[in-house]
């Protein structure tokens, strides 16, 4: 049997193959010992790196994209990152109000003072939609799209993901409320 273990602190995945054979051998406890740099990262604080060559928003976006699209065992470990619960549920009609696009949050992660929220974008119209971060209606630190555009509704290219970076709080605090609602109506937090 193959077991898939994941470090809570770093997200690193360890694959462990276990086999059993018949016999009267006494059972021994299993201990996993790693002798690498990641072990030190596990034992250290979960705060983000202080002097990294790559900016935290870039690392966080890369981590989110890998977490959604890559096999779990290939996701690069990022010390200090943790998945956070989504406080926004359902569609976000004010995120891209100038386009006929459905926007639905699907996952969020946090590293230090930065949050990234992955938002699924799906074209509801018959034409192509060019994705432009300047059209997003939210006070964002940064935004990145998985693809530059969306194909017509019903095509294989009609869906993409936006990675929305916020600082100091999650997306629920920076996205404009839907008409007729105020922040907090039906949302926790």
């Amino acid at each position: 049997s193959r077991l898939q273990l994941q470090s809570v602190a770093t997200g690193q995945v360890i694959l462990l193959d276990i086999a059993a054979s018949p016999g009267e051998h006494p059972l021994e406890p299993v201990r996993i010992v790693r002798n690498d740099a990641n072990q030190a990262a596990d034992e250290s604080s979960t705060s983000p790196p202080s002097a990294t060559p790559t900016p935290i928003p870039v690392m966080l976006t890369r981590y989110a994209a890998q977490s959604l699209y890559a096999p779990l065992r290939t996701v690069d470990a990022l010390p200090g990152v943790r998945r956070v619960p989504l406080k926004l549920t359902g569609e976000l009609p004010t995120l891209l109000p100038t386009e006929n696009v459905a926007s639905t949050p699907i996952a969020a992660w946090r590293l230090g003072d930065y949050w990234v929220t992955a938002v699924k974008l799906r074209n509801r119209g018959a034409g192509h939609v060019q994705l432009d971060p300047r059209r997003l209606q939210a006070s964002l630190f940064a935004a990145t799209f998985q693809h530059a555009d969306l194909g017509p509704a019903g095509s294989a290219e009609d869906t993409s993901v936006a990675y929305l970076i916020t600082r100091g709080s999650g997306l629920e605090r920076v996205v404009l409320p839907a008409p007729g609602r105020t922040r907090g109506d039906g949302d926790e937090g």
Side-chain angles (χ1 to χ4, degrees):
S1 292
R2 176 164 279 188
L3 296 178
Q4 185 171 301
L5 309 174
Q6 184 173 17
S7 168
V8 174
T10 66
Q12 181 184 19
V13 175
I14 300 169
L15 298 177
L16 185 64
D17 290 326
I18 295 180
S21 58
E24 305 253 342
H25 303 286
L27 298 176
E28 295 181 26
V30 175
R31 182 174 179 203
I32 299 172
V33 179
R34 296 181 323 180
N35 193 13
D36 60 9
N38 290 332
Q39 184 175 8
D42 281 348
E43 294 167 359
S44 68
S45 165
T46 59
S47 62
S50 57
T52 60
T54 306
I56 292 174
V58 173
M59 293 187 307
L60 198 52
T61 300
R62 186 179 303 137
Y63 182 85
Q66 288 177 348
S67 296
L68 291 178
Y69 285 100
L72 192 56
R73 70 180 183 282
T74 65
V75 175
D76 293 333
L78 182 56
V81 72
R82 61 185 174 94
R83 189 151 181 182
V84 293
L86 287 172
K87 293 185 179 177
L88 289 172
T89 57
E91 197 170 323
L92 304 174
T94 62
L95 187 63
L96 265 171
T98 60
E99 304 294 342
N100 190 11
V101 172
S103 308
T104 310
I106 54 176
W109 295 265
R110 180 181 180 186
L111 178 60
D113 199 30
Y114 294 92
W115 280 257
V116 62
T117 304
V119 177
K120 182 172 94 172
L121 304 175
R122 189 180 48 78
N123 188 358
R124 293 189 269 199
H128 280 78
V129 174
Q130 191 70 28
L131 296 173
D132 184 344
R134 295 172 294 188
R135 292 185 182 160
L136 294 168
Q137 298 297 305
S139 299
L140 302 170
F141 185 82
T144 304
F145 297 108
Q146 188 75 32
H147 305 100
D149 62 351
L150 298 174
S155 70
E157 298 84 25
D158 73 351
T159 303
S160 186
V161 174
Y163 302 98
L164 308 179
I165 300 285
T166 54
R167 189 168 187 186
S169 67
L171 188 63
E172 70 278 357
R173 297 284 183 217
V174 299
V175 72
L176 297 173
R181 289 183 63 190
T182 59
R183 278 192 185 102
D185 286 354
D187 294 332
E188 293 181 26

